Amino acid sequence: MDSFGLKKRTSENKKQRLWTALFSGGLLSYVFLFFVITAAYFLFKPLWEYSGIARATCSSLAVCGVLVIAFCLFWLHQGGRLTHRHLLLALIATGVLFRICYMLYTPFTWRGHDIGDYDSTGHFAYIYNLILGDGLPKSYSYQFYHPPLMHLISAAFCKLCSLFTGAVEPFDLVDPAKVISCLASVSILITSVKIGTYFKLSQKAMLLLTAIMAFMPTFYILAASINNDVLMIALYLAAFYRTLLWKDDPSFKNILMIALCIGGSMMSKLSGGFIALFTAFVFLLVLAKGVRSVSVGSLQKKSLTGLIGQFAGFGLVCVPMGLWYPIRNLILFGQPLMYVPRMSEESELFCGDMTIWQRFFSFPVEEIVKSPYCHPFGDWNIWVYTLKCSVFGEFQFSDRPDVYSYGLLLFNFLLICFSVAAMVFVWIKRKDLSPWKRFAPGFIWISLMISFIQFNLQYPFGCTMDYRYIVPTCFVGAYYLALAVYENKKKSKPNAFLGWTTGIMTAGFCVFSTLFYFG
């Protein structure tokens, strides 16, 4: 089995193994992708000196890349060497290509969240001040309350770049931070594939999961933003994956990786700590199993002591990483540990004047007909907003044809409905699956959705409904859809029809995503 759980051909040569390694999610793949993204950024950055051609050029690059990938697949097919592994690698390569191309034609000031200016207290100023050597924020105003991991990494990379480019203007100094965001967005795709491999999804299921994660527009948008969401999400999913590995092999190395992932996720954004709920649940199960084993004499006490030692080591690494910055701000500025800024109810973003029924228990189709895009200062229904925001962010794309925007929105809606139905179906009906394969990803979905609804009840503002707060649910939905449709052992006409229908919906989603962002 290779890195993605697909059977290798016995005749595979070294070149094929190299390309597999470059997208396998190991250290080599991330080093390779980092240099590819960095090289692409500096190669195409001069396009911004010629107004109006950057998007056209990068869109052409995306199309040409897809044609090259398609030609390679056709060549392999003609030679009788095309396998599911090649298709999987092609989808991953396309997802990487699209993230890079969107990042290249989108300045970080265009469609970022809470960016502000270089002399304000947004993410722009956060990174810019670190580049200048001004140290950590001197207050917790606006976005300065966030932990600094993403900003520190970005500032270090931007400072290094400035030594070669000679950049001195604030925008030019900070813009290379998009490389870090793009790499984090790519890592989300690779980690998703690794989780699917862990659960031993079938070949068709892996292709469906990968296609949705590769073409999901929210990952394009995150790839070009310099705020802390994308790194938090990347480490959140990595922590989930590492927890699954530790469950099977409770070694100190694996628990240390979990601690680094959760601590890093919280050090990027405090809400990254929600994944600790799943990790704590797994820790308790493994500990209970160890206690029972000791009681019946099937496990030496030193093994149980080793588990407790691992938990202590986990806490010593994870807790300081995740909480040092909030504690610092508590001591220096009196910032509450779980602080979230609250806007005035006089703000145009406030939607608390709408009823709970209108906000949470209705689905106003007329809001979609009126516009396919989000309007944070006027929208109020959480489900319509989430539907739009998951593919367009909070932003307007007035230059895109309506047929592209509504086509993408339609296929997104269908996939969401089918994925939720698939999740419920797997939970209730698929008793033939292992409990972990059946319920573990659902833990993410439930915890995030409860948090999301509670957050919107507590903070009834348009911006609170942003999909970026629940991005990992995209993976969960794709996982259950793939599991329900392509892991069904019963051969029947309805199941075959469902498989074809799901494939067509996914293909339509991928096509309209490509047309909208690169057409």
Side-chain angles (χ1 to χ4, degrees):
M1 304 290 281
D2 71 5
S3 301
F4 297 131
L6 300 177
K7 188 178 291 185
K8 289 183 179 179
R9 296 172 60 91
T10 56
S11 62
E12 182 180 56
N13 57 34
K14 292 182 179 180
K15 184 182 291 187
Q16 289 173 313
R17 288 197 297 271
L18 173 63
W19 280 104
T20 299
L22 292 179
F23 292 100
S24 67
L27 179 61
L28 174 62
S29 67
Y30 286 116
V31 172
F32 167 73
L33 290 167
F34 171 73
F35 281 108
V36 167
I37 297 169
T38 303
Y41 172 80
F42 284 106
L43 180 63
F44 287 94
K45 188 175 186 297
L47 290 174
W48 281 109
E49 298 176 7
Y50 306 97
S51 177
I53 68 170
R55 181 175 180 270
T57 303
C58 293
S59 295
S60 298
L61 176 65
V63 172
C64 290
V66 170
L67 291 176
V68 170
I69 292 170
F71 174 78
C72 291
L73 293 178
F74 177 76
W75 178 71
L76 288 169
H77 175 72
Q78 290 298 101
R81 293 176 295 168
L82 183 63
T83 65
H84 279 81
R85 182 173 58 83
H86 293 126
L87 295 174
L88 186 67
L89 289 174
L91 286 172
I92 295 172
T94 304
V96 172
L97 174 67
F98 283 3
R99 284 159 170 77
I100 293 175
C101 289
Y102 178 85
M103 179 271 291
L104 292 177
Y105 79 71
T106 307
F108 72 86
T109 51
W110 274 20
R111 301 188 189 106
H113 295 94
D114 308 316
I115 301 300
D117 209 340
Y118 73 94
D119 57 355
S120 66
T121 52
H123 293 289
F124 188 175
Y126 204 142
I127 296 173
Y128 181 65
N129 291 339
L130 288 171
I131 294 173
L132 296 182
D134 291 346
L136 293 172
K138 306 301 188 293
S139 73
Y140 64 100
S141 174
Y142 193 31
Q143 299 304 307
F144 281 6
Y145 76 96
H146 281 298
L149 181 60
M150 179 65 179
H151 308 89
L152 287 170
I153 296 173
S154 298
F157 178 70
C158 292
K159 182 67 174 180
L160 178 63
C161 291
S162 70
L163 299 178
F164 295 95
T165 63
V168 293
E169 294 298 319
F171 177 89
D172 294 327
L173 276 172
V174 175
D175 195 58
K178 294 190 301 181
V179 171
I180 306 301
S181 298
C182 189
L183 181 63
S185 181
V186 167
S187 76
I188 294 170
L189 171 61
I190 294 176
T191 301
S192 299
V193 175
K194 292 170 75 172
I195 296 172
T197 301
Y198 171 86
F199 285 116
K200 295 181 173 62
L201 294 183
S202 68
Q203 293 177 338
K204 287 184 178 180
M206 285 292 293
L207 292 177
L208 177 68
L209 169 65
T210 307
I212 293 175
M213 295 300 292
F215 288 85
M216 184 64 181
T218 193
F219 297 116
Y220 308 158
I221 295 172
L222 289 172
S225 181
I226 62 168
N227 75 343
N228 51 351
D229 287 303
V230 66
L231 183 60
M232 182 274 284
I233 296 165
L235 292 171
Y236 181 104
L237 280 179
F240 177 74
Y241 174 65
R242 288 290 173 178
T243 300
L244 293 172
L245 294 183
W246 182 87
K247 174 183 70 69
D248 296 338
D249 178 21
S251 64
F252 187 80
K253 173 188 173 182
N254 282 338
I255 205 169
L256 178 61
M257 293 302 297
I258 301 172
L260 290 173
C261 289
I262 296 180
S265 186
M266 294 177 67
M267 194 174 160
S268 302
K269 193 171 185 177
L270 206 56
S271 57
F274 278 115
I275 192 60
L277 296 173
F278 175 75
T279 300
F281 176 72
V282 174
F283 283 179
L284 288 174
L285 286 182
V286 174
L287 180 62
K289 182 179 179 181
V291 171
R292 288 197 302 269
S293 298
V294 169
S295 66
V296 298
S298 62
L299 184 71
Q300 296 181 359
K301 288 187 177 180
K302 65 178 182 180
S303 298
L304 182 59
T305 304
L307 273 180
I308 296 174
Q310 285 190 35
F311 295 152
F314 171 86
L316 287 173
V317 173
C318 182
V319 174
M321 281 186 67
L323 295 179
W324 73 268
Y325 188 78
I327 292 174
R328 167 203 182 258
N329 284 7
L330 173 65
I331 295 172
L332 293 180
F333 316 122
Q335 173 190 317
L337 283 178
M338 301 303 293
Y339 173 75
V340 177
R342 185 179 182 89
M343 292 175 288
S344 168
E345 294 186 3
E346 301 300 319
S347 168
E348 293 182 10
L349 288 165
F350 183 70
C351 60
D353 53 339
M354 308 299 289
T355 67
I356 295 295
W357 177 268
Q358 289 173 310
R359 293 176 60 207
F360 295 97
F361 295 99
S362 66
F363 192 82
V365 178
E366 63 273 13
E367 293 296 314
I368 300 175
V369 176
K370 184 169 63 176
S371 172
Y373 307 119
C374 292
H375 297 274
F377 293 94
D379 290 344
W380 40 266
N381 183 269
I382 189 172
W383 310 120
V384 170
Y385 198 93
T386 302
L387 171 67
K388 296 178 179 181
C389 192
S390 59
V391 287
F392 304 127
E394 293 182 324
F395 314 108
Q396 309 291 309
F397 296 82
S398 57
D399 60 332
R400 306 299 200 272
D402 284 346
V403 65
Y404 292 172
S405 56
Y406 278 106
L408 179 55
L409 205 61
L410 173 62
F411 282 108
N412 186 47
F413 173 75
L414 292 173
L415 284 176
I416 290 173
C417 293
F418 271 66
S419 64
V420 172
M423 181 170 61
V424 175
F425 170 77
V426 170
W427 288 349
I428 297 175
K429 294 292 186 179
R430 294 302 303 274
K431 297 179 182 179
D432 56 305
L433 300 173
S434 71
W436 290 103
K437 189 172 186 177
R438 191 175 165 197
F439 295 113
F443 195 104
I444 292 179
W445 192 89
I446 292 173
S447 61
L448 285 177
M449 291 307 297
I450 291 176
S451 170
F452 188 51
I453 292 171
Q454 186 273 334
F455 188 38
N456 276 273
L457 285 170
Q458 189 175 358
Y459 297 91
F461 298 90
C463 56
T464 311
M465 298 185 287
D466 198 307
Y467 181 73
R468 63 195 172 101
Y469 299 121
I470 54 169
V471 167
T473 59
C474 173
F475 162 76
V476 177
Y479 168 85
Y480 278 111
L481 185 60
L483 186 63
V485 174
Y486 293 119
E487 298 256 325
N488 196 331
K489 296 180 180 179
K490 295 181 180 179
K491 304 295 182 182
S492 64
K493 289 184 178 180
N495 288 339
F497 176 77
L498 182 61
W500 277 102
T501 302
T502 304
I504 292 172
M505 285 192 305
T506 304
F509 177 79
C510 295
V511 168
F512 276 99
S513 175
T514 303
L515 289 173
F516 185 86
Y517 282 93
F518 305 103

